[in-house]
Amino acid sequence: MAQPQQARSIKTRRTILEAAGALFGAIGYAATTTEMIIERSGVPRGTMYFHFPSKEAVADAIVAAEADVIVPPVRRLKLQSLIALTYRYADVLMHDPVLQGLVRLSVDRVQPSHGEPWRTAHRSLTELIRAAAENGELLPSVEPERFATVLQSAFTGVQLSSQVSTNRKDLPERVTDMWRYLLPGVAIPGLLPSLSLPDLPD
């Protein structure tokens, strides 16, 4: 169990990341200043610089925060795990300013390191799709890396259009529409009735 001082430090760090994530997500990395992060987070200037010496350091911490989100939920079918992962990501994206900031950083790519979440997610998707193929769940024509690229691009477009239209309030419904059009082109026909849409987080 974390000691009181350590717990406060973790909470303060999270407060700073949430403030920065909200700003990055709303106006982008380039337009966000350290002063804006300090003001939005409400932490003293010295505390801010104790945890993060620069705006770049804050962004790096946000980039590193994706790992827990892209762990696929366990399902009997690998393709169902892939579906569940997209709903889980959508659910967190709707409520977590840190992930919202990370997505904007990945899209804008002002710094080379900001593209790492995109590459990490692509590798994770490819591995899961490859497992589904090895399990006999996909059509023989499906190439895991190419499908991962298509899925990642489709999800990015879906979440961006949802953000513009409804501030992501309808994101789960848009993810469902995405899968309804994608699945017939990748899953073996006999598997389709066994796949659940939506597959929402517990």
Side-chain angles (χ1 to χ4, degrees):
M1 180 179 295
Q3 298 299 316
Q5 184 174 355
Q6 182 182 3
R8 285 196 299 271
S9 178
I10 293 172
K11 183 178 180 180
T12 299
R13 180 182 173 88
R14 177 68 188 185
T15 297
I16 295 169
L17 291 179
E18 288 183 353
L23 288 165
F24 292 158
I27 64 175
Y29 176 83
T32 299
T33 66
T34 303
E35 289 299 320
M36 293 166 68
I37 297 172
I38 292 172
E39 181 178 354
R40 188 179 183 99
S41 67
V43 303
R45 184 183 308 276
T47 301
M48 166 71 185
Y49 285 110
F50 172 79
H51 288 278
F52 302 103
S54 65
K55 181 179 74 169
E56 291 79 7
V58 180
D60 288 343
I62 288 177
V63 166
E66 187 185 40
D68 292 339
V69 184
I70 59 175
V71 175
V74 177
R75 300 289 188 270
R76 181 177 62 86
L77 297 170
K78 297 298 182 182
L79 190 50
Q80 189 68 60
S81 293
L82 183 65
I83 292 168
L85 176 60
T86 61
Y87 281 103
R88 177 185 178 187
Y89 201 97
D91 181 68
V92 177
L93 185 57
M94 290 169 66
H95 306 103
D96 186 354
V98 175
L99 187 58
Q100 292 166 9
L102 183 146
V103 168
R104 180 66 181 267
L105 288 172
S106 299
V107 172
D108 290 352
R109 295 198 185 190
V110 176
Q111 301 290 336
S113 62
H114 296 174
E116 187 56 34
W118 182 273
R119 293 185 288 271
T120 300
H122 188 272
R123 287 193 295 269
S124 297
L125 292 174
T126 300
E127 290 175 5
L128 192 51
I129 293 167
R130 186 171 288 119
E134 293 171 353
N135 206 35
E137 300 172 14
L138 303 181
L139 296 170
S141 59
V142 175
E143 299 177 42
E145 285 195 24
R146 287 180 178 271
F147 178 34
T149 299
V150 170
L151 176 58
Q152 191 172 26
S153 301
F155 184 88
T156 300
V158 161
Q159 71 87 13
L160 285 174
S161 62
S162 177
Q163 179 185 8
V164 171
S165 300
T166 67
N167 197 27
R168 296 195 178 97
K169 292 179 181 178
D170 67 345
L171 183 53
E173 290 80 4
R174 290 180 184 244
V175 172
T176 297
D177 289 340
M178 176 190 77
W179 278 115
R180 282 177 176 158
Y181 284 97
L182 285 178
L183 283 174
V186 297
I188 58 173
L191 192 66
L192 291 174
S194 302
L195 298 172
S196 299
L197 294 177
D199 190 330
L200 300 174
D202 297 330

